[in-house]
Each structure stands twice: as C-alpha cells, then as structure tokens.
Amino acid sequence: MKKIDKYIISKYLSTFFFCLLLFTVIVVVVDISEKTDDFVKSNLNAWQIFKEYYLGFIPRFDAMLFPLFVFISVIFFTSKMAGRSEIIAILSSGVSFRRFMLPYIVSAMFLSLLLWLGYRSLVPKANEKFGNFNKNYVDVNKGMHNKNTSYLQNLYFRIDPVTYVGMRSYDTISKTGNGFFIDKFQNNKMLYNLRAGSIMWDTGSKKWKLSNVLERHIDSLKEKLVKNSNLLMKYNFRPLDLRKDEYLKDQMPTRELDDFIKREKMRQSEGLSDLLVERYNRDAIPVSVFILTIIGASLASRRLRGGSGAHLALGVVISVSYILFSRFSVVFAIKGNFSPFLAAWTPNILFGLLAFYIYKKAPK
C-alpha cells in the first residue's frame, strides 16, 4: 500500500466517522426536544432513558442512514482534494483513474462489511430496545398498558403442507388461547382432528399445554375418539409466531429471521412480503455503500466552479433520489405485487448503472 492509498483511506474513514458522529449528535438533540414529554411521563431517570432508548435509537438511526453518510463523506473530502488540485497531480503522475479508485474500494469494502455484520445482530438488538421503549412509553395505544391489543381473535394458519391450526381467541401477554383446533388433510380428506377448550404455553417444557382435548383419528369409514383432560404437545409454532407486532421483523437476528420466513412461507402468511423485503434489504443496503462510493468519488474528482458546495448539492440530490426510489419500491412490494427481491435490489441495479456511467465520464 502506497502513501497516497493510506492518505485517501485515512481521509475517507476519518471524514465518515466525523460525519456520522456529527449527524448523530444533531439528531439526538432534536429527538430529545421532541420526546421530552414522553420521557417525563415515563418516570425514568436520564441513565435509564439512555440505556433503554438511545442505546437502541442511535444504532438504528446510524444503520438507516449509513449509505447517505458514506456518500456525503466521499463527496466532501474528494471535492476538497480536487479543489487543491491533488487529484490532477495524482493523475498527471501516471496513476490511472482505476488505480486512484482502489483505496476508495478498500474503504467501501470495510464499511460495507461493518454494516452487513451490524444488520445481522447489532441492529436487531438495537431495534428491540427501540421498539420496546416505544410500545411501553410512546405508542401507548399499542403498548403493554393497553390490554385489549394483546387479545387476538379468530386465528387460522397452516403449520405444514397438510395441517391447519385455528384458535377462537389468543392473549399474547398470558400466552393462552381458547377454542383451539387442528385439522390434518390428505387428498382433500380429513385424517385427523383435534379440539381443545384451552391452550397455554408451558415455559418449562417449551410445549403447549392443552385442556379438555378430544382427538379424532379418521381412517376411511372408521373413526377413533380419544379424550384427555390435559395434554402436552409440541408444535412448530411458538408464542413469538402468534404476536402481531410491527417491530418484530426488525428485532430478529438474520438467522432467526430466515427461520421465521420459512415458517411463514409454509403458512402462506399475508405479511410475508414485508418480511422478505426486510431480509433482502439486509444484504442490499451494504452493497449500496460500494455504489454510492463510486458515484461520489467519480463526481467529486472533477473540479467545478462552485467547489465542494456544488458537489455536495449534487450529492444530496442523488442520495435523496436513491432513498425515495428505495422507499417507493418497498411500498409497491408490500402493498402491491412487486417482487420483494426486486424491491430491495432494483435501486442498487439502477444506481449501479449510473455509477458505471459516471465512472466512465470521470476525468482520466
């Protein structure tokens, strides 16, 4: 690694982390001013608020705008280099523009890997803190204080290709339900039916405890009835799977989210598109760090009359366009018939083509 590589990498990373820190402080100050009433009503001290809310809010916010911070940082320090004619001197010494971009790619690889690892474990844990605080102290109507929202009615879903489960009612807090039944079919014929007056999650055995159980085993024209006052059963759904929580998908580590998606696919859940978009975004967003780095470096390496101000203005327009396009594609995937995979990766594909075009047009 040459001195110029170390120089560019140090400028890239130092500018990025300074930008990240600066914007984080600004956003936290603004957020405190907006949520002062909620903090006062929560009866928590400053340390508890920081531990239970801001340790979740800060990583969540930084991960969400991570590519934007990268883009602004690259635009800023590269335009400064162009303004001081440093890039002209580098290219005039015989260094190709492709070789000049190498330290940018190395830095982008490091930050992309950092963001990808964060989305796998750190960010979901932060989202859990953020979501729990909002449910308990901010979104009062959705939180634990409102008992009615924990009471779900008329649940019906599939647990495997031939087995269907239903409940007349279920309480997500007490983890108990009423009117439980299971139907198993083969070739459009019922083979097994179970009815239980109540169902409750047993935390010790990690199984479901059924009360007043009646089982029917159906074989052609024969039928066998089995009655049990109590029955301990293990099914492939847990209390977590029965929760209707808008924060849930953001709080799952990637491995747990993959398992959850498999179960929801088997059950043909209505919210499957939302889960798939979240999963694909965890891989697509880190890739955008590379794309925005190439766009930013290629744009800002050209010396303009407006200096870094003109570069920053152009960079903000491109970054806002990327965010808006990404949001629109997500909405079409969740609310419409757009593929979740394409919703996550289409912005990268289109802006990747833009990055290639700008790179080819950059001063050599």
Side-chain angles (χ1 to χ4, degrees):
M1 184 178 292
K2 298 182 179 180
K3 288 184 178 180
I4 188 62
D5 297 324
K6 294 180 181 179
Y7 174 74
I8 292 176
I9 291 174
S10 64
K11 284 289 186 181
Y12 188 132
L13 297 181
S14 61
T15 305
F16 167 75
F17 286 111
F18 176 77
C19 179
L20 185 69
L21 178 62
L22 179 63
F23 276 95
T24 300
V25 171
I26 293 173
V27 170
V28 167
V29 171
V30 173
D31 188 70
I32 290 174
S33 65
E34 290 182 350
K35 289 190 171 63
T36 301
D37 292 339
D38 296 317
F39 294 153
V40 172
K41 293 176 183 177
S42 69
N43 294 321
L44 301 176
N45 58 42
W47 170 247
Q48 289 174 317
I49 292 173
F50 175 77
K51 183 175 66 173
E52 295 185 23
Y53 178 71
Y54 281 106
L55 284 183
F57 174 81
I58 292 174
R60 174 186 171 89
F61 169 79
D62 289 345
M64 183 171 57
L65 295 182
F66 195 98
L68 178 61
F69 295 150
V70 167
F71 193 49
I72 292 176
S73 303
V74 171
I75 288 281
F76 182 77
F77 87 85
T78 306
S79 63
K80 289 293 185 183
M81 291 176 61
R84 294 191 294 263
S85 300
E86 294 177 7
I87 296 177
I88 295 176
I90 293 171
L91 298 179
S92 299
S93 66
V95 176
S96 66
F97 191 75
R98 178 183 298 179
R99 178 62 183 83
F100 168 73
M101 290 291 293
L102 180 61
Y104 286 91
I105 299 302
V106 171
S107 302
M109 186 180 299
F110 169 74
L111 293 179
S112 181
L113 180 61
L114 187 67
L115 182 59
W116 184 77
L117 292 175
Y119 268 121
R120 294 191 69 84
S121 58
L122 177 62
V123 176
K125 290 179 181 178
N127 286 334
E128 185 175 4
K129 281 184 174 291
F130 177 82
N132 289 339
F133 189 92
N134 276 325
K135 286 187 292 184
N136 293 332
Y137 302 108
V138 179
D139 299 332
V140 179
N141 293 329
K142 302 178 183 178
M144 300 290 286
H145 300 295
N146 189 341
K147 302 296 183 181
N148 292 331
T149 58
S150 69
Y151 190 74
L152 306 176
Q153 292 183 310
N154 300 322
L155 295 178
Y156 189 72
F157 54 91
R158 187 164 64 176
I159 59 175
D160 65 42
V162 297
T163 308
Y164 297 82
V165 172
M167 269 181 275
R168 186 171 60 249
S169 62
Y170 179 76
D171 193 317
T172 59
I173 295 179
S174 62
K175 300 176 183 177
T176 59
N178 296 305
F180 177 77
F181 68 88
I182 289 182
D183 295 326
K184 183 177 292 186
F185 297 90
Q186 186 174 12
N187 298 326
N188 294 325
K189 295 181 180 180
M190 181 178 289
L191 301 179
Y192 174 80
N193 172 262
L194 179 146
R195 292 287 186 274
S198 64
I199 181 172
M200 181 178 66
W201 177 252
D202 190 328
T203 55
S205 62
K206 303 296 182 183
K207 295 180 180 180
W208 291 99
K209 183 179 180 180
L210 281 61
S211 302
N212 300 322
V213 184
L214 176 63
E215 292 181 276
R216 297 170 59 207
H217 299 269
I218 305 169
D219 182 14
S220 185
L221 299 177
K222 298 179 181 179
E223 182 176 328
K224 179 182 178 182
L225 296 178
V226 180
K227 292 183 179 181
N228 290 284
S229 56
N230 290 293
L231 200 61
L232 205 60
M233 301 291 288
K234 184 176 182 180
Y235 298 120
N236 64 349
F237 63 92
R238 302 165 298 166
L240 178 67
D241 302 325
L242 301 178
R243 288 171 52 190
K244 301 299 180 181
D245 189 347
E246 63 179 293
Y247 301 105
L248 185 60
K249 70 181 188 305
D250 302 328
Q251 299 172 4
M252 293 182 181
T254 300
R255 184 174 298 177
E256 185 177 341
L257 180 61
D258 288 336
D259 294 337
F260 187 67
I261 289 174
K262 289 179 182 178
R263 294 195 297 270
E264 293 300 296
K265 280 184 177 179
M266 184 175 58
R267 297 169 190 161
Q268 297 181 342
S269 172
E270 294 181 357
L272 186 59
S273 294
D274 203 5
L275 296 172
L276 289 173
V277 169
E278 170 65 23
R279 178 61 186 90
Y280 293 138
N281 268 333
R282 294 188 182 187
D283 293 331
I285 293 176
V287 174
S288 68
V289 172
F290 283 97
I291 296 172
L292 294 177
T293 294
I294 294 173
I295 293 176
S298 300
L299 281 177
S301 60
R302 184 185 300 275
R303 190 172 182 177
L304 298 180
R305 182 175 299 177
S308 54
H311 286 136
L312 284 174
L314 184 59
V316 168
V317 171
I318 293 177
S319 58
V320 169
S321 301
Y322 177 86
I323 294 173
L324 288 177
F325 195 86
S326 177
R327 291 297 93 196
F328 275 125
S329 61
V330 168
V331 170
F332 286 136
I334 296 174
K335 303 297 183 180
N337 295 322
F338 195 47
S339 166
F341 179 82
L342 291 178
W345 285 97
T346 297
N348 283 350
I349 294 172
L350 294 180
F351 279 81
L353 295 175
L354 177 63
F356 180 77
Y357 174 78
I358 295 176
Y359 171 78
K360 287 296 185 180
K361 293 294 183 178
K364 302 298 189 291

